[in-house]
């Protein structure tokens, strides 16, 4: 949507110039991803270059830069900025306080071998993600713990990263407090009365789709774990030895989950978890007080400093991504795309629902921001398409949320695979035997996003869970007009 004078001024040549910053960030990422490489520095450099190039074609360059800088202050970007800083300290404390060693000892004691470890991690991350309501929080909390433990237990570390990402997607989809759940419900309006879908109804209705997708994912990680175990991955030399004392550091994780379940924000939950971790680590002599902060020569070092700095490159990359996305939005480029998509209306309820699911998928590939971005843009379009058919807003919300939590987690140039690689990279530096994935690896090892997409496709084709605002469930031989009250929109005369 156009928000200021710069948006009205536009560019010399074409308004599609507004896409240059995004293209400059995404294109090198795609090329590198296909080659199995990744560099946040390239994305940062591409983003800056793209903004400069677009400014040369702006009719009012001063206003263009003002708009670009304003987008750096995007609320989502700033929230991620603070979250990364907090999680950096939290994960650094856990990593140095022998939590990984404790988990290795526990897995060995409970005989959770390499065949079951990926399944165990997927379920654990799904539970944490559901409690926290944020994929980012799940990734940043769990990766420093389970990634280095994977090789010590004998599980393929790349498969473990896929299980973590898949669990984060599952939790974000299940959680009643996640941003995509709230956005998907609030963007779907009733046709015959005021109001939007209730979040509680959306969460309750979602179980018939999410539960089968979760079970399919469990089967995938069970089979993949056994396959990798049979392939001999358990013979990889251990990089971490087990130690039961490290299990005390599970308490901070329990604190984080408990606070999230009680409705506290992820920031508050992680704050309590971080201070609990520091007190326990010091009390059990797992770290020394001077390890937190110390002066070496003219430099200040320590776990607190390292925790803050370890994610700085990723933070800058995400904030530039928000700026590039904001430029495309402010100059009306996204309005043009959404106007085109509004014309893609099916002639039956089934076709219309497939169109809605497809629109969500299209934005999964077009947008490189977080899933909330996809829901915000696709939500109103899906509302306009499905509302005239009186497709129930709860049904529409669940189609939107299923699409939002699908391909965005596995597209190599999307933020999620990139985030996983960037989170794993500094950990791999401390454990040289760990293998680092490329963004393309997540296409084959992240189960839930694919599972929920397939389940929703089957549900749409078979009409499972489909209902209209009248509360009736149409069958194959009914027309939408037969189940709608008088005065219905003319588009309602559509076959099932």
């Amino acid at each position: 949507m156009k928000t200021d004078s710069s948006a009205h001024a536009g560019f010399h040549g074409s308004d599609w110039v507004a896409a240059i910053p995004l293209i400059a960030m995404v294109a090198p990422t795609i090329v590198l991803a296909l080659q199995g490489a990744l560099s946040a520095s390239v994305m940062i450099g591409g983003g800056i270059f793209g903004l400069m190039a677009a400014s040369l074609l702006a009719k009012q360059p001063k206003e263009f830069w003002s708009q670009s800088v304003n987008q750096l202050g995007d609320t989502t970007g700033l929230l991620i900025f603070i979250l990364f800083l907090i999680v950096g300290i939290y994960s650094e404390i856990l990593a140095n306080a022998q939590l990984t060693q404790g988990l290795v000892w526990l897995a060995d004691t409970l005989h959770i071998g390499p065949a079951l470890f990926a399944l165990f991690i997927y379920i654990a991350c799904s539970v944490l993600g559901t409690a926290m309501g944020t994929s980012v929080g799940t990734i940043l909390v769990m990766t420093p713990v389970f990634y280095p433990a994977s090789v010590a237990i004998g599980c393929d570390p790349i498969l473990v990263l896929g299980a973590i990402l898949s669990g984060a997607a599952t939790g974000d989809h299940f959680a009643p407090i996640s941003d995509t759940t709230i956005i998907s419900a609030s963007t779907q309006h009733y046709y015959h009365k005021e109001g939007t879908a209730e979040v509680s109804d959306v969460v309750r209705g979602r179980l018939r789709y999410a539960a089968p997708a979760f079970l399919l994912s469990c089967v995938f990680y069970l089979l993949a774990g056994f396959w990798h175990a049979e392939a001999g991955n358990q013979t990889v030399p251990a990089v971490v030895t087990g130690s039961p004392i490290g299990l005390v550091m599970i308490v901070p994780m329990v604190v984080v989950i408990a606070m999230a379940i009680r409705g506290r924000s992820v920031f508050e939950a992680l704050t309590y978890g971080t201070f609990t971790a520091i007190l326990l680590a010091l009390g059990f002599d797992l770290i020394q007080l001077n390890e937190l902060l110390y002066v070496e020569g003219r430099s200040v070092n320590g776990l607190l400093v390292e925790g803050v700095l370890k994610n700085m490159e990723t933070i800058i990359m995400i904030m530039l991504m928000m700026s590039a996305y904001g430029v495309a939005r402010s100059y009306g480029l996204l309005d043009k795309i959404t106007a085109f998509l509004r014309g893609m209306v099916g002639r039956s309820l089934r076709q219309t629902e497939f169109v809605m699911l497809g629109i969500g998928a299209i934005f999964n590939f077009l947008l490189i921001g977080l899933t909330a971005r996809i829901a915000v843009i696709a939500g109103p379009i899906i509302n306009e398409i499905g509302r005239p058919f009186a497709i129930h807003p709860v049904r529409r919300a669940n189609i939107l949320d299923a699409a939002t939590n699908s391909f965005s987690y596995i597209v190599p140039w999307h933020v999620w695979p990139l985030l996983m690689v960037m989170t794993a990279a500094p950990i791999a530096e401390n454990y040289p035997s760990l293998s680092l994935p490329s963004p393309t690896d997540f296409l084959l090892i992240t189960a839930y996003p694919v599972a929920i997409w397939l389940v929703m496709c089957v549900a749409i084709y078979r009409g499972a869970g489909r209902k209209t605002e009248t509360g009736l469930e149409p069958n194959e031989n009914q027309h939408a007009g037969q189940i709608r009250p008088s005065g219905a929109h003319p588009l309602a005369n559509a076959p099932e």
Side-chain angles (χ1 to χ4, degrees):
M1 181 176 291
K2 299 179 181 180
T3 57
D4 61 12
S5 59
S6 68
H8 291 288
F11 298 93
H12 297 289
S14 170
D15 286 342
W16 287 91
V17 171
I20 289 178
L22 273 176
I23 293 173
M25 292 190 76
V26 174
T29 304
I30 296 174
V31 173
L32 289 173
L34 294 176
Q35 296 177 357
L38 177 68
S39 171
S41 300
V42 170
M43 293 191 71
I44 292 171
I48 294 295
F49 177 82
L51 288 171
M52 291 191 297
S55 72
L56 296 177
L57 296 173
K59 293 180 179 178
Q60 295 185 17
K62 182 178 179 180
E63 295 298 332
F64 170 86
W65 281 111
S66 176
Q67 186 72 12
S68 301
V69 172
N70 288 339
Q71 296 301 327
L72 288 173
D74 177 87
T75 302
T76 301
L78 292 178
L79 289 176
I80 292 175
F81 178 86
I82 300 298
L83 182 60
F84 264 87
L85 296 179
I86 295 175
V87 168
I89 296 174
Y90 173 81
S91 62
E92 195 72 14
I93 298 296
L94 292 184
N96 285 270
Q98 301 182 36
L99 174 58
T100 298
Q101 290 88 329
L103 290 172
V104 171
W105 179 88
L106 179 63
D108 184 61
T109 302
L110 297 178
H111 303 291
I112 301 176
L116 297 176
F117 193 60
L119 174 62
F120 167 74
I121 289 174
Y122 170 63
I123 295 174
C125 291
S126 297
V127 172
L128 178 62
T130 301
M132 297 179 69
T134 165
S135 300
V136 176
T138 304
I139 291 169
L140 297 182
V141 169
M142 291 302 209
T143 304
V145 177
F146 288 125
Y147 179 44
S150 60
V151 174
I153 290 175
C155 187
D156 180 13
I158 306 300
L159 180 63
V160 166
L161 289 177
I164 294 172
L165 181 57
S166 195
T170 304
D172 195 36
H173 194 208
F174 269 76
I177 60 173
S178 74
D179 49 6
T180 56
T181 298
I182 296 170
I183 294 169
S184 63
S186 62
T187 56
Q188 301 309 305
H189 296 260
Y190 283 90
Y191 185 80
H192 295 292
K193 66 178 183 179
E194 296 295 325
T196 61
E198 293 288 340
V199 171
S200 58
D201 294 335
V202 172
V203 173
R204 193 161 47 245
R206 177 181 303 158
L207 289 177
R208 70 184 305 155
Y209 318 115
F214 172 75
L215 293 176
L216 285 173
S217 300
C218 287
V219 171
F220 172 84
Y221 287 112
L222 180 63
L223 296 177
F226 273 100
W227 186 85
H228 281 282
E230 289 295 325
N233 286 305
Q234 71 270 30
T235 63
V236 177
V239 295
V240 181
T241 56
S243 173
I245 187 63
L247 286 178
V248 70
M249 298 309 295
I250 289 180
V251 175
M253 296 179 63
V254 174
V255 169
V256 171
I257 295 174
M259 297 297 290
I261 292 175
R262 293 181 60 185
R264 304 295 179 91
S265 71
V266 63
F267 298 98
E268 192 173 359
L270 284 170
T271 298
Y272 280 103
T274 300
F275 277 96
T276 301
I278 292 174
L279 292 175
L280 288 174
L282 292 174
F284 283 85
D285 201 31
L286 297 173
I287 63 172
Q288 302 301 313
L289 183 61
N290 62 353
E291 291 183 65
L292 294 176
L293 199 66
Y294 61 90
V295 178
E296 186 177 27
R298 295 186 178 182
S299 301
V300 179
N301 296 306
L303 299 180
L304 299 181
V305 176
E306 293 169 8
V308 167
L309 295 179
K310 65 190 293 185
N311 294 319
M312 194 60 65
E313 191 176 59
T314 303
I315 292 172
I316 296 173
M317 183 269 294
I318 291 178
M319 293 189 70
L320 275 174
M321 188 183 296
M322 296 297 111
S323 179
Y325 168 87
V327 167
R329 180 183 58 192
S330 299
Y331 280 86
L333 183 58
L334 291 180
D335 286 343
K336 290 185 176 182
I337 296 174
T338 54
F340 169 76
L341 293 176
R342 284 192 183 102
M344 299 170 57
V345 179
R347 293 175 295 174
S348 70
L349 294 179
R350 180 187 293 127
Q351 290 176 357
T352 299
E353 288 186 345
F354 271 121
V355 167
M356 292 191 290
L357 188 66
I359 286 173
I362 289 172
F363 281 112
N364 272 266
F365 288 93
L366 288 179
L367 303 180
I368 58 175
L370 301 177
T371 49
R373 299 276 181 189
I374 300 170
V376 166
I377 296 175
I381 303 173
I382 289 176
N383 180 66
E384 282 197 26
I385 291 175
R387 198 170 165 226
F389 284 84
I391 298 173
H392 201 282
V394 170
R395 171 76 166 185
R396 283 184 265 130
N398 281 322
I399 291 175
L400 169 61
D401 214 9
T404 299
N405 287 280
S406 59
F407 296 115
S408 62
Y409 283 94
I410 61 176
V411 175
W413 58 85
H414 208 283
V415 67
W416 298 115
L418 301 179
L419 178 61
M420 288 301 300
V421 175
M422 293 177 192
T423 304
I427 301 172
E429 292 179 1
N430 296 327
Y431 300 97
S433 297
L434 283 173
S435 53
L436 193 64
S438 73
T440 54
D441 288 333
F442 293 96
L443 287 167
L444 301 177
I445 59 175
T446 312
Y448 186 82
V450 177
I452 188 60
W453 172 265
L454 294 176
V455 168
M456 187 54 72
C457 284
V458 172
I460 291 174
Y461 181 78
R462 295 178 59 87
R466 179 183 297 141
K467 66 176 182 178
T468 65
E469 290 183 26
T470 62
L472 299 177
E473 297 187 11
N475 60 44
E476 285 295 324
N477 299 317
Q478 285 178 311
H479 289 253
Q482 293 178 290
I483 59 174
R484 294 178 57 89
S486 60
H489 192 282
L491 284 177
N493 297 317
E496 170 60 18

